Amino acid sequence: MEQARYEVLPTATTEDKVLQHLPRDRAITVTASPSKGLAATLDLSESLAGHGYVVVPHLAARMISGRTELAEIAERLVGKGITSVFVPGGDAEAVGDYPDALALLEDLQVLGRPFTHVGITGYPESHPSIHDDLTVQSMWDKRRHATHIVSNLTFDPAGVRDWLRRLRARGVTMPVLLGMPGPVERTKLLGMATKIGVGESTKFLAKNKGLFARLAAPGGFTGESFLEKCAPALGEEGAFVEGLHVFTFNQVAETEAWRTQLLEDLRS
């Protein structure tokens, strides 16, 4: 929890929220979406880095035209002191040479690996359009080009346990940052889930109506209970879960207040 990093969306109010509520030691990842365009991601990343934050921009492969543009982006970000990126395939149709994240990662290698830390996506739940075996194989294929895995949002601790075991059994040894929701308002959390590519979470909830009711009710789903249920799997030998990646849905103040309070409770 001390080193948990926050994911934010590049909207017009995000920078002000971060500056108002987060200390400079927070690591912040900035998403990329077809609706906003990659420019919004890069602009916000540069601004936050200028304020002293550790910033991790998302370089969605399908939103980048090819090696020339990638080299320009890398030079721009490195020039601002940004040393870490996250490389998903992205939800957009490919605009150029990169049909998937691996193709972009291979070009980063050709460009001399300009970033010290490169994250890739992990799927504790089934991907809506890619078989589980292929998502694990994909992480194996990317292992030479990435330094860590960031797991997608999930509400299912048992799924986290099973996924970590499959991942390690396949020989994928990269450390994992566990993706989890912050203390966002319940209906907004459910509404946003499908928009960030985690439709299986809503299917899981639909199959477990009792859990759905608890999530929708005040005091239902909590990050604390999720982490407590995940803890045995995170503590297994060889799990290599080294941190938390918190999806804030731009509820920055609420997320930081929750993290601070939980740390105080843990210390006491």
Side-chain angles (χ1 to χ4, degrees):
M1 289 302 299
E2 288 178 338
Q3 303 300 322
R5 72 182 198 178
Y6 292 164
E7 178 172 305
V8 300
L9 306 152
T11 69
T13 61
T14 303
E15 182 175 357
D16 289 341
K17 288 181 178 181
V18 170
L19 291 173
Q20 183 177 354
H21 298 292
L22 298 186
R24 297 303 195 269
D25 64 353
R26 288 296 87 220
I28 303 165
T29 79
V30 184
T31 65
S33 71
S35 62
K36 296 290 183 182
L38 196 58
T41 299
L42 300 177
D43 290 345
L44 179 58
S45 296
E46 289 182 332
S47 295
L48 293 177
H51 290 297
Y53 292 98
V54 176
V55 183
V56 184
H58 291 210
L59 302 184
R62 297 186 187 97
M63 296 174 67
I64 298 174
S65 60
R67 188 180 299 171
T68 299
E69 183 182 5
L70 180 61
E72 293 171 352
I73 291 171
E75 182 178 5
R76 174 180 173 180
L77 294 177
V78 171
K80 296 295 183 179
I82 294 173
T83 61
S84 181
V85 294
F86 176 65
V87 182
D91 296 327
E93 292 293 326
V95 300
D97 297 338
Y98 302 132
D100 51 36
L102 179 59
L104 187 146
L105 291 167
E106 290 172 341
D107 266 6
L108 281 178
Q109 184 83 19
V110 173
L111 293 173
R113 303 189 69 162
F115 301 105
T116 305
H117 304 286
V118 178
I120 59 173
T121 307
Y123 297 96
E125 300 182 15
S126 297
H127 188 282
S129 60
I130 307 173
H131 191 277
D132 289 349
D133 289 341
L134 293 179
T135 62
V136 173
Q137 179 65 43
S138 175
M139 284 178 279
W140 172 259
D141 294 339
K142 297 171 186 174
R143 72 193 187 284
R144 294 186 301 275
H145 309 293
T147 57
H148 60 278
I149 298 166
V150 182
S151 71
N152 212 337
L153 179 64
T154 181
F155 307 106
D156 184 5
V160 170
R161 177 200 63 209
D162 295 344
W163 174 70
L164 285 171
R165 289 175 178 173
R166 290 185 64 239
L167 197 64
R168 302 319 182 191
R170 179 63 180 82
V172 179
T173 59
M174 282 181 288
V176 168
L177 298 178
L178 176 64
M180 63 172 293
V184 68
E185 193 271 324
R186 285 359 180 222
T187 55
K188 183 170 183 178
L189 178 60
L190 293 172
M192 287 291 291
T194 53
K195 295 181 182 179
I196 61 169
V198 288
E200 289 301 309
S201 282
T202 52
K203 291 180 183 178
F204 171 81
L205 292 170
K207 294 176 183 176
N208 297 269
K209 290 183 171 54
L211 179 57
F212 183 91
R214 291 195 298 275
L215 177 59
F221 177 89
T222 66
E224 297 94 317
S225 64
F226 174 75
L227 289 174
E228 286 174 359
K229 292 173 183 176
C230 285
L234 307 187
E236 288 184 1
E237 184 176 358
F240 300 135
V241 177
E242 66 174 16
L244 300 176
H245 178 99
V246 183
F247 294 86
T248 71
F249 303 100
N250 281 17
Q251 306 298 290
V252 174
E254 295 86 345
T255 302
E256 180 63 5
W258 165 76
R259 185 188 74 92
T260 302
Q261 183 61 55
L262 182 54
L263 280 172
E264 290 179 3
D265 294 344
L266 289 170
R267 289 171 179 144
S268 64

